[in-house]
Amino acid sequence: MTKVKRRAWKDMRTREKVGMVSFWILIILVGYWLIVAGSSRKPPTESSTLEPVAAAATFTSASEQALQSATQYVADLDKAMADSAAILKQGQLQELGAQSRAFNALADAGQAKFGKSVFEPLGQCFSAGIYARSWWQSQVSAASNGGVETIPSSIKDALNSYQAARDQCLKSADPVAVAKADAEQDAELRKKFGGGKECLKVYTVDAATKELSEKPRPAHCTN
């Protein structure tokens, strides 16, 4: 059997050298692509194919349980705001960061318990947490600016908004207060329109024309 003699690199022509170099470069690139692409490709998981589902609020109407939760929630907010004075005075970055995370956690807890919109029955409780956090952020901003507010009256405005939302939160969660307010509103409506809530104006959207129109009210409504 005749042995094939391998040619040395120095004996190869220029065209042969270029072809050999190109071949090995191609091999290296293909190997690199297989390694990198394989390591960066994540295996499919069951959770990746599902859309996240927003959790419903724990409390959506006034009740004894809702009032207890709202009372504890505003107490936690009050304490966090009261503790903030000493933390701001110390000026330690670690303590400031921890307090910021505490306000964030309280705001998230308010959303989980009472909803994330002021238009929800207990939405003012959520608003109280947001205003408390805004108050803290305004305090930190002023402290980092030599005690001068970057937005004038931002601390006072946030505090006033918090106090208003706090009070409304407790009222909206109290079943007795809500029943009393509803009865007073119903009496006023009956006095003004000859009926209760059924005499309020109600609008509907026509499915075909998309036009807004007022629904007819009961005959006993005087206005």
Side-chain angles (χ1 to χ4, degrees), residues 147-210:
V148 180
E149 293 177 298
T150 54
I151 302 177
S153 300
S154 59
I155 297 176
K156 181 180 179 181
D157 291 344
L159 179 60
N160 291 341
S161 297
Y162 165 71
Q163 291 173 339
R166 178 190 186 280
D167 294 343
Q168 190 58 42
C169 165
L170 296 176
K171 290 180 181 179
S172 63
D174 186 351
V176 176
V178 170
K180 181 180 178 182
D182 287 345
E184 292 175 350
Q185 182 189 42
D186 195 65
E188 181 65 23
L189 291 172
R190 291 185 181 279
K191 180 180 179 181
K192 184 176 182 180
F193 298 112
K197 293 182 179 179
E198 73 274 12
C199 290
L200 291 174
K201 290 183 178 180
V202 178
Y203 295 89
T204 183
V205 178
D206 188 279
T209 64
K210 306 300 181 182

Side-chain angles (χ1 to χ4, degrees), residues 35-190:
I35 294 173
V36 173
S39 62
S40 63
R41 188 182 300 114
K42 296 181 179 179
T45 60
E46 182 180 355
S47 59
S48 65
T49 61
L50 301 176
E51 291 293 332
V53 178
T58 304
F59 302 102
T60 56
S61 61
S63 66
E64 289 297 333
Q65 293 77 13
L67 179 58
Q68 291 176 6
S69 183
T71 301
Q72 182 61 55
Y73 182 61
V74 298
D76 292 340
L77 291 174
D78 288 342
K79 184 179 185 306
M81 296 175 75
D83 293 344
S84 296
I87 296 174
L88 287 167
K89 186 176 181 179
Q90 293 173 0
Q92 299 295 324
L93 290 179
Q94 185 175 359
E95 297 298 327
L96 291 171
Q99 188 70 349
S100 294
R101 291 191 293 273
F103 274 102
N104 288 335
L106 285 169
D108 292 341
Q111 176 178 330
K113 291 180 180 180
F114 310 107
K116 58 180 180 180
S117 170
V118 294
F119 299 106
E120 297 186 45
L122 303 180
Q124 288 295 339
C125 297
F126 163 70
S127 295
I130 297 300
Y131 288 129
R133 181 171 62 183
S134 296
W135 173 85
W136 165 253
Q137 291 172 343
S138 297
Q139 291 277 14
V140 173
S141 177
S144 63
N145 194 38
V148 180
E149 293 177 298
T150 54
I151 302 177
S153 300
S154 59
I155 297 176
K156 181 180 179 181
D157 291 344
L159 179 60
N160 291 341
S161 297
Y162 165 71
Q163 291 173 339
R166 178 190 186 280
D167 294 343
Q168 190 58 42
C169 165
L170 296 176
K171 290 180 181 179
S172 63
D174 186 351
V176 176
V178 170
K180 181 180 178 182
D182 287 345
E184 292 175 350
Q185 182 189 42
D186 195 65
E188 181 65 23
L189 291 172
R190 291 185 181 279

